[in-house]
Amino acid sequence: MASFHMYTLSIIFSLILLSPFSNGVFHEEMSDILAMNLRSQKTSRLHFYFHDIQSGKNPSAIKIISPGGGGIYGFGYTFMCDDALTIGPNASTEVIGRAQGIYAMASQSESVLLMTMSFEFTQGKYNGSSISILGRNPFMRDVREMPIVGGTALFRFARGYALAHTFWFDANTGDAIVEYNVFVQHY
């Protein structure tokens, strides 16, 4: 049954691509989609550390919204970040990318962040590729799971999940190092 659907999709895409109404951009996008359907999907495991630094002269995360009140859980506090991703927990280890996005305190009754992040890889096999994470992060738990909702370049049409574990946290400054184990399906 799956081969029948793949064959039908191939015929439809071929007819669209050969249509006199298809322009160059549409043609390229459809060619990419058709090529991905013919390739097998892979699962990659990525392991890295996320350095979220709020203190010092050059913080990588800053508070952009600080509502009055906020309660004991800081509801509404919102941060913008451009955090280093490294191969090891020490900040001096090789930087392999950047985590860029927004996270906010999203609960009035527990310690939960809403994460909207793009993890861009700048070194190694995945250089120039990124994954997008959008989800709930109950950061006081030992291990948290967040969904991967997309990606770019080698991770185009990606899906999967990220497991986050706080490796180190300074309650006085808000600085944190978070270990990520990411499982991503892509073509």
Side-chain angles (χ1 to χ4, degrees), residues 47-51 83-90 93 96-97 165 167 177-180:
H47 180 255
F48 51 83
Y49 293 82
F50 169 102
H51 296 260
D83 294 337
L85 301 176
T86 64
I87 59 171
N90 190 314
T93 59
I96 59 165
H165 163 74
F167 181 81
I177 299 171
V178 180
E179 179 180 24
Y180 273 84

Side-chain angles (χ1 to χ4, degrees), residues 64-116:
I64 59 172
I65 298 175
S66 185
I72 63 170
Y73 296 102
F75 178 68
Y77 287 107
T78 305
F79 299 81
M80 177 73 70
C81 74
D82 181 12
D83 294 337
L85 301 176
T86 64
I87 59 171
N90 190 314
S92 65
T93 59
E94 181 183 4
V95 175
I96 59 165
R98 308 296 300 179
Q100 298 168 328
I102 296 174
Y103 58 90
M105 298 299 291
S107 176
Q108 296 183 58
S109 60
E110 61 181 314
S111 298
V112 173
L113 296 171
L114 171 63
M115 309 274 292
T116 58

Side-chain angles (χ1 to χ4, degrees), residues 126-183:
Y126 303 113
N127 183 19
S129 300
S130 69
I131 56 173
S132 297
I133 294 178
L134 171 64
R136 186 176 189 273
N137 180 353
F139 63 90
M140 295 302 285
R141 293 185 189 161
D142 182 42
V143 177
R144 292 87 67 191
E145 181 176 331
M146 291 167 281
I148 295 171
V149 297
T152 64
L154 292 176
F155 295 130
R156 186 182 284 183
F157 292 108
R159 66 180 190 267
Y161 63 97
L163 298 175
H165 163 74
T166 302
F167 181 81
W168 174 82
F169 176 70
D170 184 330
N172 294 320
T173 63
D175 295 352
I177 299 171
V178 180
E179 179 180 24
Y180 273 84
N181 282 291
V182 176
F183 301 84

Side-chain angles (χ1 to χ4, degrees), residues 3-37:
S3 62
F4 174 75
H5 290 294
M6 190 63 93
Y7 177 74
T8 304
L9 279 174
S10 297
I11 297 293
I12 291 169
F13 285 139
S14 296
L15 291 173
I16 291 171
L17 292 174
L18 295 174
S19 166
F21 301 107
S22 65
N23 61 28
V25 173
F26 180 74
H27 178 75
E28 287 176 28
E29 289 298 316
M30 293 307 290
S31 293
D32 288 348
I33 292 169
L34 181 58
M36 281 187 267
N37 280 327

